[in-house]
Amino acid sequence: MIIKNKFPKGFWWGSATSGPQSEGRFNKIHDNVFDYWFDREPEIFFNKVGPNIASNFYNSYKEDLNMLKEIGLNSFRTSIQWTRLIKDFETGEPDEDGIRFYDEVIDECIKNNIIPVMNLHHFDLPVELYDKYGGWESKHVVELFKKFAGTAFRLFGDRVKYWATFNEPIVVVEGQYLYKFHYPQIVDGKKAVQVLFNLNLASAKAIEEYRRQDLDGKIGIILNLTPSYPRDPENKEDVEASKFADNFFNNSFLNPAVKGEFPKELVEILEKDKVLWEATEKEMEIIKNNTIDFLGVNYYQPRRAKMREIPFNNEEGWMPDKYFENYEMPGRRMNPYRGWEIYPECMYDISINIKENYNNIPWFISENGMGVEGEERYVNEEGIIEDDYRIEFFKEHLEYLYEGIKEGSNCFGFHSWTPIDCWSWCNAYKNRYGFISLDLETQKKTIKKSGKWICEVSKNNGF
Ligand code: BGP
């Protein structure tokens, strides 16, 4: 067999999930915002399926990790739930069963030659910290996050060599404070901007704590990059709009994480509009001095932007949308189930952007994937889902990534979303992403055609 795209030696072929989306709530001592929301308003969630059982990873992690090994994965990201590990949020004191569980998961990964990548926040703020302090609006919560992180590093830092502080922090800003897709569905641009700052600060403080403990490993952050493309690259106003969107949704985390500072143009606009965050000099110093070792990029879709055509209504308060409108490009390729554009070329653009503008920092694709509804349509006589569309999707994306690597971008791995079909926020089990399918009723897990495919890719380090 000819391997056209041979990836760099030691390349990560893996997959990612998160605690709240896979574990189930078994023995969890606190509720996060999604647990709480589901208990109050189950009808918000597709078919009223909540996070209570998810894919049962809490009970079946051994079998699950065995299956990951069987499909050739050499690395795996999940998250440590703040609401499972920590008994007392104020002191950071851990819970015994939380320690036992994550200890066993990490050891089991290592036993199976799977590199564990542990993330500390995946949209799962403890609801108690929202009620008491306003969650990420509060600098006290930033301190509590640092304590949680410190506890996790102390307990598992001897075996976990790759840490991430946050997964997609901008989604917290968008979901909770702008576009109403996370609890508590607030619309408040000024608060959103403060939260954006506080999340950056929380990440930097966790990194500071990691360095203080002097552990032998690396720490990074996972960002969902949705590069912006202007409707008309010749139109100055479209280009400006697209640049603003890039600065607000991508660079507001990317720049502080890699370079220790926020994009200047963005700060100027927020200042002029009187919505800039409150920050002390000392906090800016912490951000400046605690940048990441590596970057994880979740890539699903690009953003297409144009100048505002419908005037922005100032009376409803500040929103980033003041400076751009989303543009529905005619003829764009869509994933109809998720409603996201498919644009694999972006993998190359991201690679080159990191190489040229972000010091060619070591990075990996930490999520990429295709959520499809009704996959049981594709089951063959042997009971296996033939998800050729997913294989094609990955191949196309990997080909563009490969081009970026060939031009010198420092990418060391590719993680799909997700190894085993898992629960997704409000969409619950509507769209499936896994290499391994999950029968919700029986919890039976079966390797899909794409699972066999990735095994070959991993073995050959390419395709
Ligand atoms: C990312 C999240 C994941 C996952 C994935 C798929 O944004 O980090 O948690 O859910 O998207 O998206 P969805 O589940 O919304 O279809």
Side-chain angles (χ1 to χ4, degrees), residues 21 122-123 167-168 298 300 338 340 367 417 424-425 427 431 433:
Q21 292 175 272
H122 203 122
F123 314 155
N167 175 80
E168 303 191 348
N298 295 354
Y300 290 92
R338 190 60 182 83
W340 285 344
E367 283 183 30
W417 184 265
S424 152
W425 320 115
N427 276 333
N431 305 316
Y433 286 85

Side-chain angles (χ1 to χ4, degrees), residues 80-304:
I80 294 176
Q81 293 200 66
W82 199 346
T83 50
R84 184 184 290 292
L85 183 67
I86 300 298
K87 181 152 78 188
D88 182 337
F89 296 131
E90 300 296 326
T91 62
E93 187 200 334
D95 171 73
E96 282 310 309
D97 187 62
I99 303 177
R100 175 205 58 81
F101 174 66
Y102 291 116
D103 258 337
E104 289 179 13
V105 167
I106 291 161
D107 291 346
E108 197 64 25
C109 283
I110 295 170
K111 204 174 103 192
N112 284 302
N113 283 325
I114 294 171
I115 298 167
V117 182
M118 288 310 221
N119 171 44
L120 294 171
H121 191 85
H122 203 122
F123 314 155
D124 55 342
L125 175 76
V127 71
E128 192 183 315
L129 300 185
Y130 181 75
D131 292 341
K132 274 197 189 154
Y133 305 115
W136 292 114
E137 295 160 41
S138 148
K139 301 244 171 111
H140 180 61
V141 169
V142 171
E143 275 309 304
L144 300 187
F145 178 74
K146 181 179 172 177
K147 284 194 185 154
F148 155 49
T151 301
F153 300 149
R154 227 176 352 265
L155 289 166
F156 314 118
D158 57 335
R159 286 152 293 155
V160 175
K161 304 296 177 193
Y162 292 90
W163 291 92
T165 55
F166 283 86
N167 175 80
E168 303 191 348
I170 191 70
V171 170
V172 175
V173 177
E174 295 174 274
Q176 291 194 355
Y177 293 94
L178 295 170
Y179 308 121
K180 302 210 315 198
F181 56 91
H182 284 190
Y183 179 84
Q185 300 177 289
I186 296 167
V187 181
D188 187 325
K190 181 147 173 53
K191 274 189 183 166
V193 171
Q194 187 65 50
V195 166
L196 183 152
F197 176 81
N198 290 355
L199 288 166
N200 271 294
L201 181 63
S203 178
K205 282 197 170 181
I207 295 174
E208 185 182 41
E209 173 60 23
Y210 187 69
R211 308 241 190 273
R212 199 190 60 77
Q213 290 192 26
D214 198 21
L215 290 155
D216 161 34
K218 292 185 167 37
I219 188 157
I221 193 166
I222 309 285
L223 301 179
N224 53 312
L225 298 185
T226 48
S228 258
Y229 297 90
R231 170 179 57 182
D232 174 3
E234 303 296 321
N235 175 336
K236 208 172 137 258
E237 284 160 302
D238 281 351
V239 172
E240 277 298 302
S242 168
K243 210 161 134 202
F244 175 85
D246 241 341
N247 274 336
F248 191 86
F249 296 103
N250 299 317
N251 305 340
S252 62
F253 282 97
L254 185 57
N255 288 26
V258 180
K259 301 177 181 172
E261 52 192 41
F262 291 91
K264 275 195 189 62
E265 297 113 301
L266 178 67
V267 173
E268 277 165 23
I269 292 174
L270 299 176
E271 208 159 25
K272 167 179 81 64
D273 286 353
K274 302 197 169 49
V275 291
L276 188 66
W277 50 72
E278 280 174 30
T280 64
E281 257 174 52
K282 180 147 179 265
E283 290 167 346
M284 296 309 267
E285 278 284 288
I286 292 172
I287 290 173
K288 173 109 227 151
N289 296 331
N290 293 283
T291 54
I292 53 172
D293 299 321
F294 70 93
L295 173 71
V297 176
N298 295 354
Y299 172 67
Y300 290 92
Q301 55 167 345
R303 180 188 296 275
R304 311 260 172 206

Side-chain angles (χ1 to χ4, degrees), residues 70 104 133 201 220 228 263-264 281 305 317 360 372-373 381 411 432 435 454:
E70 199 184 326
E104 289 179 13
Y133 305 115
L201 181 63
S228 258
K264 275 195 189 62
E281 257 174 52
N360 208 10
V372 172
E373 189 173 359
E381 297 100 58
C411 174
R432 306 301 185 97
F435 287 133
I454 195 68

